[in-house]
Amino acid sequence: MPQNVSEFVWNRLSEWGLSRVYGYPGDGVGGLDVALEKAKDFMHYVQVRHEEMAAFMASAHAKFTGQPGLCYATSGPGAIHLLTGLYDAKADHVPVVAIVGQQARAALGSSYQQEVDLQTLFADVTEYVMTATIPGQVRTLIDRAVRIAQARRAVTCVIIPNDLQELAYADLPMVHGATHTGVGYPGESNLPGQAALQRAADILNEGKKVAMLVGAGCLSATDEVIAVAERLGAGVAKALLGKAAVPDDLPYVTGSLGLLGTKPSWDLMQDCDTLFMVGSAFPYSEFLPKPGSARGVQIDIDGANLSLRYPMEFSLVGDSAETLRALLPLLQQKTNTGWRKAVEEGVASWWKTLEERAMVAAEPINPQRVFWELSPRLPENCILTADSGSTANWYARDIKIRRGMKASLSGGLASLGAATPYAMAAKMAFPERTVIGFIGDGAMQMNGLNVMITVSKYWREWSNPHFVIMVLNNRDLNQVTWEERIQLGDGKTELTQSIPDFPYHKYAELIGLKGIFCDDPNNIAAAWEEALAADRPVILEMYTDPNVPPLPPHITLKDAKNFMTMMVDEPELGSVLMNSAKQILASVLPDKS
């Protein structure tokens, strides 16, 4: 049947297998808006409250499903609003396609209302951005945008002027200068050659103390990572985006590495003689072995990530699962179990330390305990999201992830305010699964309250209503406060760090959701159980102490000096010192039995 350009766009995206789009309307996409109503049987439209949330949701959709995320926005300010979420996708190398409106073609260049040079605007964040000028061109632009996004794990953008959207669509004639593209994701060669595999295996076989570091590239390689770790007698540390790659109940999994990481992961990297990094562009070189102290082997699907953080002796370009599977027969079974035993002892001791820290009293609630109490109560196959504040510390350390669970956050960009749109996207993609988001009060005030309105609009569509957003209400932009204390040696700057005390649980009730408030540590477990059993989405407000320190996995002399300097200007010195002393004591004496 005859169709206009806008109708063709949604039909073509559907042919690519894309079935959900996150967006917000506007006159710059009026034709696309009207066409979406006609396409609702095959293109599920999720109306967000702000375009930034649409881009975050598209990024999260790509992370949780492996398929390209799709978002759209109107021209001018709407298009500008997409940027943060699109940069999140770029930083974490996931495919997202953005469809964006523009002013009428005849108006471009005239400083027309809402006219923005969108090609320049999106040039840095995208691998491909193009403006359509005639109807027959749109097929090529859509096909290229989806294919390049998937092939390069990147952000792409198609800009469609509003007058073009309602013109009749027709394919270009078979003439010189016209192209005729097709639908279909690119096949990839994801396996290195045999000689390269053997060379990598030789290095790993010679290692006596192998440390593995796995990231998001291993989320679909759980069995392969475990098999290789068992063969090599290796300890396994995880980059934060790879938290769900291997379960935390394995005794040799040391947990997260880095500023939010664990002591066993730090020890693993400092003591190993061979580093095997798989599917990770982990950013912090200072947490890896000292160059020259360990031989290195790396696997990554993107050759640009090889030897980026550590000077590897040999690297392989390939898919993590396929490459590990091919490598396994070439690896020799380690018979000296001393290294693995030491790793496992360190892990066991660390979990005791975390429990001691979590159970230390605070005023009124120790935030670590909020996560520690949830961990054994996590539903099977649940999906977890975390924000880029102090919640990320406790999510990284205190949550024991199990096989079958999914988990993610804004990794490379570490953007505040990603937890709630991530949770929303996870629930839309997997409505049958329980979704739990962890967010601080700063991020909740920034945009989380906004996203909960979207939740209230759509939750009745879900086959399983279990959806919990847990807010740490500590009246403080806590992560930055502690960074300034430790990294800058300054006390809390109340002018910038203190934020309003807002009744998040009452807000939930205002929009038809369930609100739960907890300010008693003895009620934390019951509050979680009530939230996880609720018949509708929940905002669970935990009233926590802002002065419980997120201790790093190791404390440098510089950190210690800055902490001592901070005392001169710290307005909450008594609480900071008391909580820090309790946490350090729990670390030194983790086992009271």
Side-chain angles (χ1 to χ4, degrees), residues 223-253:
D223 290 335
E224 290 79 7
V225 170
I226 292 172
V228 167
E230 294 282 5
R231 184 71 54 88
L232 294 175
V236 181
K238 298 185 283 188
L240 202 50
L241 284 173
K243 184 172 177 64
V246 284
D248 286 313
D249 51 14
L250 294 173
Y252 53 83
V253 172

Side-chain angles (χ1 to χ4, degrees), residues 326-477:
L327 190 62
L328 185 62
L330 306 178
L331 299 177
Q332 300 167 5
Q333 180 65 54
K334 302 292 186 186
T335 56
N336 183 351
T337 60
W339 167 246
R340 170 65 75 79
K341 183 178 179 182
V343 170
E344 293 181 355
E345 289 174 350
V347 171
S349 176
W350 175 251
W351 284 116
K352 292 179 180 178
T353 295
L354 287 181
E355 182 175 15
E356 289 292 328
R357 288 183 181 178
M359 294 304 167
V360 167
E363 184 57 44
I365 286 178
N366 180 340
Q368 293 167 107
R369 185 167 177 178
V370 173
F371 291 77
W372 185 263
E373 294 278 12
L374 168 65
S375 199
R377 295 174 172 83
L378 288 171
E380 294 299 320
N381 298 316
C382 66
I383 303 177
L384 308 176
T385 71
D387 220 282
S388 297
S390 61
T391 56
N393 291 286
W394 321 127
Y395 157 81
R397 295 175 183 168
D398 290 274
I399 291 293
K400 275 191 176 183
I401 202 119
R402 303 195 301 273
R403 183 185 280 269
M405 296 178 180
K406 293 177 180 288
S408 197
L409 75 176
S410 178
L413 192 64
S415 177
L416 201 65
T420 47
Y422 269 44
M424 180 67 185
K427 193 65 173 180
M428 297 306 288
F430 301 97
E432 75 284 359
R433 300 173 74 160
T434 297
V435 174
I436 305 168
F438 309 118
I439 190 169
D441 46 3
M444 195 65 174
Q445 291 181 19
M446 177 179 284
N447 60 34
L449 296 170
N450 164 314
V451 175
M452 296 310 295
I453 300 173
T454 306
V455 171
S456 71
K457 176 179 173 68
Y458 289 101
W459 74 267
R460 290 174 181 83
E461 298 179 6
W462 302 335
S463 56
N464 168 8
H466 297 157
F467 179 96
V468 182
I469 297 297
M470 188 282 296
V471 184
L472 288 184
N473 183 355
N474 53 32
R475 293 76 62 204
D476 180 50
L477 297 176

Side-chain angles (χ1 to χ4, degrees), residues 480 482-491 558 562 565-566:
V480 174
W482 278 103
E483 287 172 348
E484 291 177 353
R485 285 168 174 160
I486 302 302
Q487 296 176 16
L488 302 182
D490 288 317
K558 179 183 177 182
N562 283 342
T565 303
M566 169 273 298

Side-chain angles (χ1 to χ4, degrees), residues 49-127:
R49 317 271 67 77
H50 189 285
E51 293 89 351
E52 181 180 317
M53 301 302 99
F56 269 130
M57 290 177 194
S59 177
H61 177 93
K63 290 180 179 182
F64 287 125
T65 69
Q67 300 297 317
L70 179 62
C71 59
Y72 92 114
T74 189
S75 57
I80 294 167
H81 286 161
L82 289 175
L83 283 175
T84 302
L86 295 182
Y87 271 104
D88 176 65
K90 176 183 178 177
D92 288 343
H93 310 286
V94 294
V96 168
V97 178
I99 307 296
V100 179
Q102 178 58 292
Q103 297 308 301
R105 290 167 294 172
L108 297 179
S110 67
S111 295
Y112 200 77
Q113 185 185 36
Q114 294 192 332
E115 181 190 350
V116 172
D117 183 354
L118 296 180
Q119 293 225 182
T120 299
L121 178 74
F122 289 110
D124 180 62
V125 75
T126 60
E127 285 286 318

